Amino acid sequence: MSESECFEQQWLCPGTLFQRATEGPQSPFHHILPKCKLARDLKETYDSLCTTGVVRLHINNWLEVSFCLPHKIHYVATNFIPPEAIERSLKSIRPYHALLLLNDEKSLLNELPLDCSPALVRVIKTTSAVKNLQQLAQDADLALLQVFQLAAHLVYWGKAIIIYPLCENNVYMLSPNASVCLYSPLADAFSCQFRGHNLPSMLAKFSLPVSLSEFKNPLAPPVQETQLIQMVIWMLQHRLLIQLHTYVCLMVPPNEEEFRAQDEDMPFTARVGGRSLSTPNALSFGSPTSSDDMTLTSPSMDNSSAELIPGGDSPLNKRMTENLLASLLEHEREAILNVPAAQNPEDLRMFARLLHYFRGRHHLEEIMYNENMRRSQLLMLFDKFRSVLVVTSHEDPVISVFQSLLK
């Protein structure tokens, strides 16, 4: 190989090109940057994508260009969240969720472009941590679907997160990713925001799951309760707390004789793949069933459309109850019917109507919204059928991705 060919091969090498362009004495970039604004804008775009993941600039001081890499904004500890996980969570937003802004209203409005949607401004001004998206749509005089889109836009850009509206029945606990250092910047910011309170002592109150009702003091002035709500909102904004929801799963142990008979008669592939509601696998969060697909305007679900006639124990009600229980195995039906509360037709009808929620995939607040029921009604029903129901508490997988830390 001749000397000229070796020189040409080195010159065409991408690594050599980049090194010559950035470090070589003849680099044109050092001459272009001071003279060309477009070159400076391109450099700023590249640097912003590499550092913050957010690009906001104006080409020729006129045309605005904005772009966001969600996996550069949302991350848990040191692990980045895949964009696909964020997209799945955004598609799972429901009317009973709430929008929590991560910055104050004034600073967020100042960041908006001049030609932004007036509906977005209205949502930002109207949103509240104690107001669900359905109420927000009514107060802002917007369609619920439009509120969903605007809420997803704010979350995608890291300006807000999705939570469940604050109420006294909400259960919170300390996040495993929370910083508990005594002299952290967060502790200083908390002390400046709430005079007379310190962050470590406040976080200590949430070391174990606790509901907000336990902090309620009927003799305390209303300003104290307002301050508590503001402190909880501040800790949620800084990812220091996570909310736990109540999930219910039907768990009936099979009879040993029936289990042996089924195990012998059933093919091996069916024994491995086939699962009933009573198996522990029903607690896993796999792909959602058709009953998980809610409409945006109606709180009802497909499986709850079989409304039972209130009142007496009519033959129609009996047939409906039997049809709802028909999807269960024989030993599961027997166990349910042997519960003392099953002797009450009203309780049995309500249990059968809610049966499709007892798979460990629907939390208590979702059932309340979908079925338009009170919390006390559901808790009483769970207690009556506690011998066949397993109650657990954990995060909502739909919004748990938003409980991660932000840069």
Side-chain angles (χ1 to χ4, degrees):
M1 184 181 294
S2 63
E3 182 177 353
S4 60
E5 290 176 346
C6 291
F7 176 78
E8 182 179 358
Q9 184 177 5
Q10 293 177 358
W11 180 257
L12 293 177
C13 177
T16 308
L17 267 177
F18 180 77
Q19 184 178 3
R20 288 176 179 272
T22 55
E23 300 178 0
Q26 303 298 327
S27 172
F29 292 96
H30 300 292
H31 301 285
I32 293 175
L33 289 176
K35 299 179 181 179
C36 180
K37 187 178 185 305
L38 179 59
R40 293 194 297 271
D41 291 339
L42 292 175
K43 181 179 183 300
E44 180 185 351
T45 301
Y46 178 79
D47 293 339
S48 298
L49 289 177
C50 293
T51 54
T52 63
V54 177
V55 175
R56 290 194 61 185
L57 56 89
H58 289 80
I59 303 297
N60 294 331
N61 296 321
W62 176 254
L63 181 62
E64 182 178 2
V65 176
S66 57
F67 184 74
C68 171
L69 294 176
H71 63 278
K72 295 283 288 185
I73 298 178
H74 302 270
Y75 73 101
V76 180
T78 58
N79 300 322
F80 291 108
I81 301 176
E84 297 81 12
I86 300 176
E87 184 178 355
R88 284 196 302 268
S89 296
L90 292 178
K91 290 181 178 179
S92 302
I93 297 176
R94 295 293 182 257
Y96 53 79
H97 287 139
L99 187 67
L100 176 62
L101 301 179
L102 298 180
N103 300 318
D104 61 279
E105 176 186 319
K106 184 177 180 181
S107 61
L108 186 56
L109 291 175
N110 291 334
E111 295 179 9
L112 297 179
L114 297 177
D115 59 344
C116 70
S117 170
L120 181 60
V121 177
R122 211 182 311 168
V123 165
I124 294 175
K125 290 183 177 181
T126 313
T127 188
S128 171
V130 298
K131 186 186 302 182
N132 62 36
L133 295 180
Q134 191 171 35
Q135 295 171 333
L136 176 61
Q138 295 173 355
D139 295 344
D141 195 21
L142 297 171
L144 184 58
L145 179 60
Q146 189 176 10
V147 171
F148 274 36
Q149 294 170 344
L150 295 174
H153 176 76
L154 290 172
V155 173
Y156 187 87
W157 278 82
K159 304 301 180 182
I161 58 174
I162 297 298
I163 63 171
Y164 186 80
L166 265 69
C167 66
E168 62 179 13
N169 294 306
N170 286 8
V171 177
Y172 297 100
M173 71 173 295
L174 187 65
S175 170
N177 300 314
S179 174
V180 294
C181 298
L182 293 176
Y183 304 105
S184 65
L186 277 180
D188 296 336
F190 185 86
S191 300
C192 294
Q193 182 83 13
F194 306 100
R195 298 292 181 180
H197 298 272
N198 62 85
L199 185 59
S201 62
M202 193 65 189
L203 293 178
K205 299 178 181 179
F206 293 92
S207 297
L208 296 176
V210 58
S211 65
L212 295 184
S213 60
E214 298 185 28
F215 296 98
K216 193 172 183 179
N217 184 1
L219 302 179
V223 65
Q224 184 174 339
E225 183 177 349
T226 303
Q227 188 180 45
L228 173 63
I229 294 176
Q230 294 301 323
M231 287 191 289
V232 172
I233 290 176
W234 190 93
M235 289 185 287
L236 287 174
Q237 288 174 330
H238 293 82
R239 310 304 198 281
L240 300 177
L241 298 179
I242 58 174
Q243 183 178 358
L244 302 182
H245 294 267
T246 299
Y247 291 81
V248 183
C249 185
L250 180 66
M251 194 72 68
V252 180
N255 296 331
E256 294 185 3
E257 297 179 358
E258 292 183 3
F259 182 78
R260 286 200 203 97
Q262 291 178 2
D263 196 38
E264 293 174 357
D265 298 339
M266 197 178 300
F268 176 76
T269 55
R271 292 201 303 269
V272 175
R275 304 283 183 178
S276 68
L277 288 177
S278 62
T279 60
N281 196 52
L283 291 173
S284 62
F285 292 95
S287 58
T289 60
S290 60
S291 64
D292 293 326
D293 299 328
M294 276 179 45
T295 59
L296 297 180
T297 56
S298 175
S300 62
M301 299 177 66
D302 292 340
N303 287 346
S304 63
S305 59
E307 286 292 335
L308 299 173
I309 300 175
D313 191 17
S314 65
L316 179 60
N317 280 339
K318 285 185 177 180
R319 286 197 301 271
M320 286 185 176
T321 304
E322 292 173 357
N323 291 336
L324 291 172
L325 296 176
S327 60
L328 301 176
L329 299 177
E330 183 63 30
H331 74 277
E332 291 175 330
R333 285 195 298 271
E334 290 181 359
I336 293 173
L337 294 176
N338 288 333
V339 176
Q343 306 306 315
N344 186 338
E346 292 290 340
D347 292 336
L348 183 60
R349 281 198 295 269
M350 185 182 298
F351 184 89
R353 173 187 166 196
L354 302 177
L355 184 61
H356 61 282
Y357 292 111
F358 302 153
R359 299 172 180 172
R361 296 193 181 102
H362 306 275
H363 56 71
L364 183 63
E365 289 79 11
E366 181 179 359
I367 303 175
M368 290 168 54
Y369 177 84
N370 292 337
E371 299 296 333
N372 193 23
M373 298 179 65
R374 294 191 301 272
R375 184 184 300 268
S376 59
Q377 289 179 283
L378 290 174
L379 293 178
M380 189 179 301
L381 183 70
F382 298 163
D383 183 66
K384 290 179 178 179
F385 289 87
R386 61 183 178 274
S387 60
V388 294
L389 295 178
V390 174
V391 179
T392 60
S393 296
H394 56 79
E395 291 181 86
D396 182 359
V398 171
I399 64 175
S400 61
V401 66
F402 306 126
Q403 304 293 341
S404 59
L405 299 174
L406 286 186
K407 283 187 177 179

